[in-house]
Amino acid sequence: MYKLLKRVVISGHPGTGTTTLIDKLGQLYNLKPEQIIKVGDLFRQNSKEKTCHDITGFYKREITEDLSIDNMQKQLLLDPNPDVLFILESRLGGFFTKEIGHSPTIITILLTTDEQVRLKRIFERDHPKMTFDQYISQIKQRQDQDFQQWQEAYPDLRSWASSAYPQMDSNPLDNHSLYDLHIDNTNLDIDQTVEAVNAKLMELGAVAEI
């Protein structure tokens, strides 16, 4: 058995397996439901309640939709109570952690996967009623839309990233330097990914065996 000792943030492009990873780690560390926080679910719920839109569709969200949930993430990460432990799945989690000042109580993880592999995973997961090329075109459009939304919500995102890490991309999901751990799971199944992440978290003192 294992015990979570630090807050963990997991980020990655769609198809890298972040959602499955957070679920598996939650089981491994015997976390309560409130300790497993998926920002994507919060956005979907918030969007349906406020706009009746499905966030998986192609519409431009109001910036206030992003900022309200983003501020909630920052408040969680800044909580001074050391007993408040959780795993947060957030595509902007690495950026927020650096923005607020990287704390030793927080470990950030970036999952990456070869683009063609992860796009194939998304297609096989969603079973869309369209061709692979048509669906992947929509996925890429959605990713571009999300990045534009981030830049609108955080105008300093590009300048901050380029000045802090001039050799890296300004998209936080492509900037490995923002994270404590980078796991490429292109050739790993989910169990192997969990094993690799757990081993690294133990090395960093974020998890202890009990």
Side-chain angles (χ1 to χ4, degrees):
M1 295 180 64
Y2 299 92
K3 181 179 180 180
L4 186 66
L5 302 177
K6 295 185 179 184
R7 299 165 186 172
V8 175
V9 178
I10 300 173
S11 303
H13 281 293
T16 56
T18 56
T19 300
T20 306
L21 177 62
I22 191 176
D23 287 337
K24 291 285 187 179
L25 291 179
Q27 295 172 7
L28 186 63
Y29 305 148
N30 195 31
L31 299 183
K32 298 176 182 179
E34 59 267 27
Q35 292 178 284
I36 303 171
I37 305 167
K38 303 174 185 177
V39 172
D41 287 351
L42 296 178
F43 271 119
R44 280 184 282 272
Q45 178 182 350
N46 188 63
S47 296
K48 286 183 178 180
E49 289 176 353
K50 290 188 174 182
T51 69
C52 297
H53 284 292
D54 184 342
I55 199 171
T56 58
F58 298 99
Y59 79 99
K60 185 174 177 60
R61 303 184 304 276
E62 293 294 331
I63 291 299
T64 53
E65 291 182 59
D66 283 18
L67 294 179
S68 63
I69 293 177
D70 291 348
N71 288 333
M72 178 275 295
Q73 296 179 62
K74 294 178 186 180
Q75 290 173 5
L76 279 171
L77 293 169
L78 287 168
D79 194 313
N81 186 348
D83 294 327
V84 176
L85 299 173
F86 52 81
I87 303 179
L88 172 68
E89 180 197 17
S90 167
R91 285 187 289 169
L92 284 178
F95 171 68
F96 291 151
T97 303
K98 289 290 187 182
E99 186 185 40
I100 65 178
H102 202 155
S103 167
T105 63
I106 303 171
I107 300 296
T108 53
I109 302 171
L110 177 66
L111 286 189
T112 61
T113 310
D114 174 80
E115 184 176 56
Q116 288 304 309
V117 173
R118 70 178 182 82
L119 293 177
K120 183 179 179 182
R121 288 177 183 174
I122 296 172
F123 183 77
E124 293 177 346
R125 178 195 68 195
D126 294 348
H127 302 290
K129 295 181 179 179
M130 61 183 71
T131 68
F132 176 81
D133 288 342
Q134 289 172 330
Y135 192 61
I136 295 312
S137 176
Q138 287 195 0
I139 292 296
K140 290 183 176 180
Q141 177 186 342
R142 186 181 308 163
Q143 291 177 191
D144 290 342
Q145 176 180 295
D146 284 341
F147 187 40
Q148 291 173 5
Q149 191 83 353
W150 297 344
Q151 290 180 303
E152 186 174 344
Y154 300 98
D156 64 335
L157 178 61
R158 181 178 296 278
S159 59
W160 180 88
S162 60
S163 61
Y165 305 100
Q167 76 282 12
M168 300 301 292
D169 195 290
S170 57
N171 188 323
L173 297 180
D174 297 319
N175 190 332
H176 302 175
S177 299
L178 290 174
Y179 306 87
D180 299 303
L181 300 177
H182 168 221
I183 303 292
D184 184 340
N185 64 2
T186 300
N187 298 311
L188 303 178
D189 62 24
I190 184 57
D191 291 333
Q192 292 170 323
T193 301
V194 170
E195 183 178 353
V197 169
N198 183 59
K200 291 292 186 180
L201 290 177
M202 289 185 67
E203 289 179 12
L204 293 173
V207 171
E209 193 168 6
I210 57 175

